[in-house]
Amino acid sequence: MAKEIRSFKHLLGKLDGISDPQLEAHFGLYEGYVKKLNEIEEKLEKVDKGLTNYSFGEYSELKRRHCVPYNGTYLHEMYFDNMLASESPSSEFEKLSKESFGSMDAWKADVKATGLAVPGWVVSCIETTTGKLRNVQIMEHHIGFPLNHTPVLVMDTWEHAFFLDYKANRGAYIDTFFKNINWSVVNARVKLAVV
Ligand SMILES: [Fe+2]
């Protein structure tokens, strides 16, 4: 079944420091990933698997790029879901950040440093093997994400997420992102991830 495009129009006019034109342009990009995901999945059902080949083959190329629109779709949904300031970090999140980074401020500084270094994504995750909070970089949408990590907070650091509002000032955008975190969503993800 085709993946449906979700609407995030409830964010319009509600974010602090991220304009509606910026958001609307971003929604358009997200929709493009959903469409491309559906296109690839439809083609994967029909293509002749017998012709697949390491050097080149339609099936192998579709499989190779599948993760790009797949993660491009779900990372954007997680990002928009964790926007719109609400609540505060739970005591559970504060404890995690303190145990893993020394303090909430140190966790935040690490998110910012990670984001300044990557034109892609920063994902705060709980590492399932250790229970620690870790900030992971994802290049493009699919490169560099390690196994055993459950995402709890997603920040888009592609230029298209902020260029209309902040030009090349990635750091100012990251500071703005922190002001808009929907902690009720993040706290719920943490609760599900910590067993
Ligand atoms: Fe994006």
Side-chain angles (χ1 to χ4, degrees):
M1 197 165 73
K3 165 83 178 105
E4 286 184 13
I5 292 168
R6 288 178 56 194
S7 170
F8 296 96
K9 286 186 177 165
H10 64 282
L11 298 177
L12 293 172
K14 299 282 174 52
L15 297 186
D16 182 354
I18 298 181
S19 69
D20 285 355
Q22 177 69 76
L23 271 176
E24 280 164 339
H26 208 168
F27 295 158
L29 282 161
Y30 153 69
E31 288 173 14
Y33 286 115
V34 180
K35 287 175 187 163
K36 199 50 86 173
L37 172 63
N38 287 332
E39 182 186 330
I40 288 181
E41 293 198 340
E42 198 177 311
K43 284 183 177 169
L44 277 169
E45 282 182 18
K46 294 174 185 162
V47 72
D48 185 348
K49 291 178 189 163
L51 298 176
T52 195
N53 179 277
Y54 169 70
S55 296
F56 175 78
E58 194 178 351
Y59 186 75
S60 53
E61 288 306 296
L62 288 166
K63 289 293 272 189
R64 187 175 67 81
R65 295 302 288 174
H66 177 262
C67 200
V68 174
Y70 186 94
N71 282 10
T73 292
Y74 289 103
L75 283 167
H76 276 108
E77 292 187 355
M78 290 190 80
Y79 168 74
F80 293 132
D81 277 337
N82 66 213
M83 298 286 270
L84 190 55
S86 166
E87 293 186 19
S88 303
S90 62
S91 54
E92 202 168 17
F93 187 91
E94 283 186 4
K95 185 168 169 274
L96 264 174
S97 63
K98 199 171 175 186
E99 285 171 357
S100 307
F101 290 90
S103 67
M104 272 284 291
D105 283 346
W107 164 78
K108 200 173 159 182
D110 190 75
V111 172
K112 185 168 182 179
T114 306
L116 287 171
V118 63
W121 298 87
V122 178
V123 186
S124 278
C125 299
I126 294 172
E127 186 182 22
T128 54
T129 48
T130 62
K132 287 203 165 179
L133 190 63
R134 288 162 57 99
N135 298 318
V136 173
Q137 288 183 343
I138 303 179
M139 300 292 292
E140 206 171 339
H141 299 302
H142 63 312
I143 301 168
F145 192 73
L147 291 175
N148 306 322
H149 285 69
T150 304
V152 295
L153 176 73
V154 173
M155 176 169 69
D156 194 337
T157 51
W158 282 72
E159 280 83 356
H160 67 240
F162 59 85
F163 206 82
L164 285 181
D165 290 338
Y166 294 94
K167 302 293 184 281
N169 194 343
R170 192 185 301 272
Y173 158 72
I174 293 173
D175 292 339
T176 296
F177 171 80
F178 282 118
K179 290 192 279 183
N180 288 286
I181 293 175
N182 187 330
W183 282 105
S184 64
V185 168
V186 178
N187 294 340
R189 288 177 186 158
V190 170
K191 206 176 256 305
L192 279 175
V194 176
V195 183

